Amino acid sequence: MKLSNGLSLNGHPSGRHFLQIPGPTNVPDRILRAMDYPTIDHRGPEFQQLGKAVLSGIRRIFQTEGPVIIFPASGTGAWEAALVNTLSPGDPVLMCETGHFASLWKRMAERLGLAVEFIPGDWRHGVDAAAIEARLAADRERRIRAVCVVHNETSTGVTSRIDEVRRAIDRAGHPALLMVDAISSLGSIDYRHDEWGADVTVAGSQKGLMLPPGISFNAVSARALEAAKQARMPRSYWEWTEMLAANANGFFPTTPATNLLYGLHEAIAMLLEEGLPNVFARHRRHAEATRAAVRGWGLDILCQDPDGHSPALTAVLMPDGHDADALRRVALENFNLSLGQGLGKVAGRVFRIGHRETSTT
Ligand SMILES: *Cc1c(COP(=O)(O)O)cnc(C)c1O
């Protein structure tokens, strides 16, 4: 594809590029067309309709009755917003080492001055709810302020059971907030903010929501809003209360990513037209087919949790002595196909296949 600015993208003789990385995912033509529209006055009446529509529509995707805040930022920004709005410097938080993204969120929490306790993991399993329960039960003074987990660990292709984490917290009778990274699951894998008792759910635009990168989300519970009143972490851009005050009328305190919101409006419509249960079933079907193919090739799947195989992506282990990035290069050069690279500890040993289809509609 040759762009008018002279940049050359996916310079293949013909046909569509197969973008099979876990994210950004393929942006359907319907969403591209919806964004191809003039940027309007973000303080005007036309915008207000758009703002109200996306702010209420996105709640249905999070399966929540509560507010969802939209930031012009990548998912990492919404991670930061979740922490700084609810916590105070030095607060103990419990996190689980499920893979690269869990490790990055932990590093961020430490940089922000939180006292992170990291339950170790082998990057082949999901969150250990029993370990969380044991740790919270042992915290007799109830000092731990939050449990932060990744729903779908995009570096390993393992999905964790958030309902089980909720039950673990409840069984321990612990008041810690539950914060969930659903950045690569929302819109691909069943996720229920209210029913599963999440306090803050973090998501991003460029994975299950089929949008380009650039906006991210915090779904917040009443308890999280209550905690925000006491939270002393310095924050300004990420402040929830200013967002919520403007959002009440369909507006934003700063300039919103208007054209991405056009796209979000269309993405919500597409997900609801197909029906969320059908969307989730489609991803499970693609995942099953992908795993069957990988087993047929005689390669190992990184996930070792029988119930944890991600519907959104599959991470594949290369045999010893073979470089995953060399394989990815062959796929790109010969088949116009982008596969996800191995991240962090598994770089060069793993490649990842995103399950979202290259659709034109
Ligand atoms: C992609 C991803 C992130 C990081 O999001 P950015 O948009 O790159 O900032 C964090 N967590 C998970 C699980 C992800 O898949």
Side-chain angles (χ1 to χ4, degrees):
M1 191 196 313
K2 189 89 175 166
L3 302 184
S4 54
N5 59 13
L7 275 178
S8 178
L9 295 182
N10 312 327
H12 197 260
S14 64
R16 217 164 237 271
H17 177 66
F18 293 94
L19 182 68
Q20 295 307 138
I21 62 177
T25 56
N26 295 288
V27 181
D29 284 0
R30 222 179 117 175
I31 292 180
L32 289 173
R33 294 297 81 81
M35 295 187 302
D36 183 3
Y37 189 74
T39 306
I40 54 176
D41 173 11
H42 61 284
R43 312 265 185 224
E46 216 183 344
F47 183 91
Q48 186 175 32
Q49 281 183 27
L50 171 69
K52 284 187 170 168
V54 293
L55 287 163
S56 84
I58 192 64
R59 297 178 182 196
R60 297 179 63 186
I61 310 302
F62 279 88
Q63 305 192 49
T64 182
E65 304 283 324
V68 176
I69 291 159
I70 307 176
F71 291 107
S74 86
T76 302
W79 262 353
E80 180 159 339
L83 299 176
V84 298
N85 276 284
T86 54
L87 299 168
S88 297
D91 274 352
V93 299
L94 190 59
M95 296 177 134
C96 299
E97 188 195 1
T98 46
H100 186 63
F101 288 104
S103 303
L104 289 179
W105 201 11
K106 171 204 179 239
R107 188 183 69 178
M108 169 187 275
E110 286 175 341
R111 284 175 174 173
L112 290 170
L114 297 166
V116 182
E117 206 173 308
F118 210 29
I119 297 176
D122 67 355
W123 291 42
R124 301 194 74 168
H125 294 83
V127 170
D128 182 349
I132 291 177
E133 184 177 343
R135 184 61 196 92
L136 292 179
D139 178 31
R140 302 219 178 278
E141 289 163 25
R142 304 299 190 231
R143 295 189 62 246
I144 295 171
R145 303 304 300 236
V147 175
C148 304
V149 293
V150 175
H151 180 217
N152 184 63
E153 183 42 89
T154 323
S155 62
T156 63
V158 185
T159 307
S160 292
R161 291 282 302 267
I162 302 305
D163 53 345
E164 286 181 4
V165 176
R166 177 76 261 169
R167 280 196 286 275
I169 297 172
D170 291 347
R171 271 196 301 269
H174 200 288
L177 296 172
L178 172 58
M179 304 212 218
V180 184
D181 170 344
I183 293 178
S184 64
S185 49
L186 193 80
S188 313
I189 305 174
D190 195 7
Y191 185 81
R192 307 177 185 196
H193 178 86
D194 285 1
E195 190 182 318
W196 295 347
D199 290 299
V200 186
T201 301
V202 178
S205 55
Q206 76 273 26
K207 287 163 182 164
L209 293 178
M210 309 174 282
L211 293 165
I215 52 175
S216 54
F217 308 86
N218 279 173
V220 295
S221 73
R223 282 189 69 223
L225 289 174
E226 208 46 50
K229 291 182 188 158
Q230 319 296 330
R232 284 178 289 103
M233 207 85 111
R235 56 187 185 269
S236 169
Y237 181 74
W238 306 115
E239 176 65 53
W240 283 344
T241 50
E242 284 169 25
M243 271 286 195
L244 290 171
N247 286 175
N249 297 314
F251 294 113
F252 290 79
T254 58
T255 314
T258 306
N259 290 57
L260 285 169
L261 298 181
Y262 296 148
L264 177 61
H265 188 262
E266 195 66 20
I268 293 168
M270 286 176 73
L271 290 167
L272 296 179
E273 274 168 30
E274 184 174 353
L276 289 179
N278 298 326
V279 171
F280 304 146
R282 172 162 54 80
H283 283 84
R284 287 197 301 271
R285 214 156 49 234
H286 290 176
E288 192 66 50
T290 304
R291 291 196 298 277
V294 172
R295 290 186 187 114
W297 302 332
L299 296 179
D300 283 337
I301 291 167
L302 188 61
C303 173
Q304 288 186 325
D305 245 341
D307 300 324
H309 288 292
S310 170
L313 78 138
T314 299
V316 184
L317 258 180
M318 290 295 278
D320 281 344
H322 293 271
D323 178 4
D325 294 329
L327 176 94
R328 291 175 48 251
R329 211 158 33 242
V330 169
L332 181 61
E333 286 171 5
N334 296 278
F335 309 114
N336 197 18
L337 164 69
S338 289
L339 296 170
Q341 69 179 42
L343 297 173
K345 234 160 64 171
V346 294
R349 293 179 49 226
V350 157
F351 67 93
R352 297 171 300 146
I353 305 171
H355 299 155
R356 187 166 294 277
E357 71 272 38
T358 304
S359 67
T360 56
T361 52

